[in-house]
Amino acid sequence: MTRVRMTGRRARLLTAATALALLSPLASCSSASTAVEACMGKQAVSATTGELEGTYTGEAHAKGVKITLKASDTGTGGTVTVRNWPTGSWYKSELGATFDGSGTWDVLSGTGSDEYGHVQLSFTEPERFLQDDTLDSLSIAKDSQRIYLYEDDDPDVCPTFRLRRA
């Protein structure tokens, strides 16, 4: 094995390049919103009920799903209706059985640098669901032209369960 000793500027450049190469995979994962931003817009820390009110249709794994958010007169949350909404704790891997129903919704703002706002759903029809019986929390992504509600399950890929406001 031959040893090469480098000094000065060339050694510092090599050390900096090596450090950059080692850290670059970490840099690509450092922002949880990177994959989301690439396909839907920036993750929202907060949103108002007025911004979110409307009808959303499903894309990717949520194709055929529809959710309508109607704001209440009080300015916080309102009523929700869904069509073809997923049931069961296994909805994450495939859409599976679905239901049409209704209930209420509210917007919860993020509270820290790593937390983003989301829409909390509470279904009352056809019956009240227990935890893990259905998807009841959706993250929010928006840009100047689009608003999405989506399941935030893997920050490194574009969410497959996403709904775009029509």
Side-chain angles (χ1 to χ4, degrees):
M1 178 177 190
T2 305
R3 289 189 170 173
V4 177
R5 181 174 166 92
M6 289 191 287
T7 59
R9 184 170 188 259
R10 190 174 261 174
R12 285 191 302 274
L13 286 174
L14 183 59
T15 303
T18 303
L20 184 60
L22 290 173
L23 293 176
S24 64
L26 296 175
S28 68
C29 296
S30 65
S31 173
S33 65
T34 303
V36 171
E37 267 186 66
C39 67
M40 298 184 308
K42 189 172 175 124
Q43 283 182 290
V45 173
S46 64
T48 66
T49 55
E51 286 178 295
L52 298 176
E53 184 176 33
T55 299
Y56 297 75
T57 55
E59 296 180 355
H61 288 172
K63 192 168 181 110
V65 176
K66 184 176 178 181
I67 183 172
T68 301
L69 303 177
K70 183 173 180 184
S72 71
D73 294 336
T74 63
T76 59
T79 59
V80 60
T81 56
V82 295
R83 293 190 54 98
N84 297 319
W85 200 255
T87 61
S89 59
W90 43 268
Y91 67 85
K92 294 178 182 180
S93 61
E94 68 178 66
L95 191 56
T98 63
F99 71 96
D100 296 345
S102 62
T104 60
W105 68 283
D106 205 357
V107 182
L108 304 175
S109 294
T111 57
S113 62
D114 292 333
E115 292 188 31
Y116 297 96
H118 63 278
V119 172
Q120 187 69 43
L121 306 174
S122 177
F123 293 104
T124 54
E125 293 294 329
E127 60 187 55
R128 191 169 292 277
F129 286 88
L130 300 174
Q131 184 177 5
D132 292 331
D133 282 347
T134 190
L135 180 60
D136 60 4
S137 181
L138 298 167
S139 294
I140 306 161
K142 59 184 180 173
D143 61 20
S144 62
Q145 299 174 344
R146 308 171 294 173
I147 296 179
Y148 279 92
L149 301 178
Y150 65 97
E151 181 187 25
D152 191 11
D153 57 348
D154 185 350
D156 295 327
V157 297
C158 185
T160 57
F161 189 91
R162 61 183 185 264
L163 302 120
R164 184 176 179 171
R165 189 169 69 183

